[in-house]
Amino acid sequence: MECLMDHIVLNVTDMDAMLEFYTGILEMPAERLSAFRAGEVPFPSVRLNADTIIDLFPEALWKNTAVPGPCGAHLNHFCLGMSREAWEGLRERLEKAATPIEAGPVKRWGAHGTGISLYFRDPENNLIEARYYAVADDHRSCRLGS
């Protein structure tokens, strides 16, 4: 079976910091933000690409779940695939924002073979891997900064 990632959900305690990070540093467009701020929808999202979003769940949606803490032990990290140009721009924005790089650049294997990755954390301490592949961009890759 082949399928696409539709969305992932991040549990959030500081929505403003997370939105600033994902829309500013990662340059992902916000979705439903006005409706969220108006109380019309329970959470906003940010768009990775035409097929995939990240939902940002405020504490009211996850605080009474069985998984302890905002993320529990279920999420190790997620990886954003992008062009080399977008990756370089992201690296510059991370440095400008004083966001520590935990690892990388380093070669890592992924969905399209071996690529070059950086690892860093968002304001809620989720580990993010940003990667580009040396081969031509794949249509399934994220288009951050493009």
Side-chain angles (χ1 to χ4, degrees):
M1 174 175 81
E2 184 173 323
C3 53
L4 297 172
M5 175 70 74
D6 184 85
H7 70 277
I8 62 171
V9 177
L10 297 178
N11 295 328
V12 173
T13 57
D14 186 340
M15 186 63 73
D16 290 333
M18 291 290 276
L19 284 165
E20 183 177 329
F21 184 83
Y22 281 87
T23 62
I25 293 174
L26 295 183
E27 297 184 334
M28 295 178 183
E31 302 226 343
R32 302 178 349 143
L33 183 56
S34 296
F36 170 71
R37 297 233 192 262
E40 298 166 359
V41 297
F43 60 89
S45 303
V46 292
R47 183 154 297 278
L48 230 65
N49 58 42
D51 299 311
T52 311
I53 59 173
I54 298 174
D55 294 334
L56 302 174
F57 273 23
E59 192 169 357
L61 292 179
W62 57 263
K63 70 179 179 180
N64 295 321
T65 63
V67 178
C71 289
H74 299 288
L75 177 67
N76 180 279
H77 75 280
F78 62 91
C79 181
L80 304 173
M82 60 192 68
S83 70
R84 182 175 184 157
E85 179 182 10
W87 185 90
E88 300 273 355
L90 173 59
R91 185 176 180 183
E92 290 171 13
R93 290 190 303 279
L94 290 169
E95 289 173 4
K96 184 176 180 181
T99 302
I101 304 288
E102 292 192 13
V106 62
K107 289 184 179 182
R108 293 286 192 260
W109 185 85
H112 301 282
T114 300
I116 305 298
S117 296
L118 291 176
Y119 293 83
F120 55 94
R121 293 190 184 269
D122 70 18
E124 300 275 334
N125 212 30
N126 295 297
L127 185 61
I128 302 169
E129 176 183 358
R131 164 182 299 161
Y132 73 89
Y133 291 95
V135 297
D137 288 343
D138 186 276
H139 72 281
R140 291 172 287 189
S141 296
C142 180
R143 299 292 188 225
L144 298 179
S146 299

